[in-house]
Amino acid sequence: MKFFVCLMMLVSTAAGVIMDLSGQMFTFPQETNTAHVKLIPELVNFPAVTVCHRSFTDLKRDHSLFSLSSTNDHNHFLVFMNWAKQEIQSHVHSLFVGYGGLDYAPNKWHSICTTWNSSLGLVQMWFNGQPLVRKYIATTFPLTTNPIIIVGQEQDSHGGGFDAKQSFVGMMCDVHMWNYVISPCEIQKYMKEKNFTPGNVLNWAALNHQKTEKVLTENKQIGCHADDAPTPGSGENPTPVRGVAPPLSQMPFNLYF
């Protein structure tokens, strides 16, 4: 029975390791031109794309958030933070549009979804639950031709050409990819960490991947939710804290001194 459970949680394949990474994250602890994770897709033909991920970093320079290359195009689909322009860029077939004016604060988790449709040529980004304007790149053919998907580095050649000054340093989790544009409702569910339809190309709960060099798989850091406490002045009774007496005004009237 134990063997069966382990087999369900971690399956080795010729291409990589399939793992359920629910509640976990990749940690990229240092700047290098080698450390990365290769994500092996279930499908290789993309008439449209939705990519979602969460990231946490304090970088104040360019860095890659998601890099998909093909045999003849190293920026086949790329999500990239351009620090000089202060914008997150969506690249498709080496063309790109940028989204600026975002609160990309350091040392905070950010949820980003990017969509693209080959027949319409439109790109849209969602940032921390907020939809951004749809922008036109080009009407073009679907993404295909031996895709290689990497997080942690930006590909300047097919599967390589890494530059340490474009590497990602920080934490990343919940990477999903679909070969179609998912609905705004599904994106909102992802952003709010509710039940949503997992990616049919990349699924964090069954992720086929290969880690290279110093990349750690750790439990996701989840803090206490301060917003669960009653709003001051709301009239709600706070949950009693063990070892702390409630205010006198909230003491029962049948107490005798």
Side-chain angles (χ1 to χ4, degrees):
M1 182 62 180
K2 290 183 179 178
F3 173 77
F4 177 75
V5 172
C6 291
L7 188 63
M8 291 295 291
M9 293 179 64
L10 185 152
V11 179
S12 295
T13 68
V17 175
I18 300 174
M19 293 182 66
D20 181 354
L21 295 177
S22 302
Q24 296 185 292
M25 63 185 183
F26 291 143
T27 298
F28 302 87
Q30 60 187 161
E31 178 179 292
T32 75
N33 65 349
T34 54
H36 67 279
V37 183
K38 181 180 180 181
L39 309 180
I40 296 127
E42 292 296 314
L43 305 170
V44 294
N45 186 47
F46 315 128
V49 168
T50 304
V51 170
C52 292
H53 49 84
R54 307 186 210 281
S55 58
F56 186 111
T57 186
D58 65 351
L59 288 173
K60 295 181 179 179
R61 58 161 173 77
D62 292 354
H63 54 274
S64 174
L65 293 167
F66 184 92
S67 175
L68 187 158
S69 74
S70 69
T71 305
N72 52 14
D73 187 355
H74 61 267
N75 286 338
H76 218 39
F77 188 89
L78 171 69
V79 182
F80 188 82
M81 176 60 193
N82 186 310
W83 187 258
K85 293 185 177 182
Q86 285 293 290
E87 64 182 22
I88 300 178
Q89 298 175 339
S90 300
H91 295 243
V92 181
H93 292 300
S94 292
L95 304 171
F96 76 91
V97 295
Y99 290 92
L102 305 176
D103 184 19
Y104 192 65
N107 293 312
K108 289 185 178 181
W109 282 105
H110 297 291
S111 299
I112 300 172
C113 290
T114 308
T115 69
W116 168 76
N117 186 303
S118 63
S119 61
L120 299 176
L122 293 177
V123 168
Q124 185 174 28
M125 185 175 290
W126 293 64
F127 183 80
N128 292 341
Q130 180 66 37
L132 307 180
V133 65
R134 287 154 64 86
K135 295 187 177 184
Y136 180 78
I137 284 188
T139 304
T140 184
F141 51 88
L143 303 182
T144 184
T145 318
N146 188 25
I148 294 179
I149 302 172
I150 285 176
V151 292
Q153 300 285 344
E154 194 269 320
Q155 301 176 74
D156 282 334
S157 63
H158 192 41
F162 304 146
D163 180 349
K165 294 303 180 183
Q166 294 180 333
S167 67
F168 178 80
V169 179
M171 292 93 81
M172 186 173 291
C173 66
D174 300 336
V175 182
H176 287 263
M177 179 176 176
W178 299 257
N179 68 341
Y180 58 93
V181 175
I182 66 175
S183 70
C185 182
E186 288 287 339
I187 291 178
Q188 290 287 7
K189 288 179 182 178
Y190 171 88
M191 294 282 175
K192 295 177 181 179
E193 299 192 59
K194 296 183 176 180
N195 289 331
F196 62 93
T197 304
N200 65 337
V201 177
L202 298 173
N203 177 358
W204 191 252
L207 192 68
N208 193 351
H209 65 288
Q210 292 176 327
K211 294 194 297 184
T212 298
E213 297 293 340
K214 197 169 187 62
V215 182
L216 308 176
T217 301
E218 303 183 288
N219 290 333
K220 193 192 302 185
Q221 294 178 326
I222 302 175
C224 296
H225 295 284
D227 56 356
D228 289 343
T231 303
S234 66
E236 297 180 41
N237 290 325
T239 303
V241 179
R242 188 184 299 270
V244 178
L248 187 60
S249 61
Q250 294 181 16
M251 297 286 277
F253 291 109
N254 61 351
L255 289 180
Y256 295 93
F257 298 90

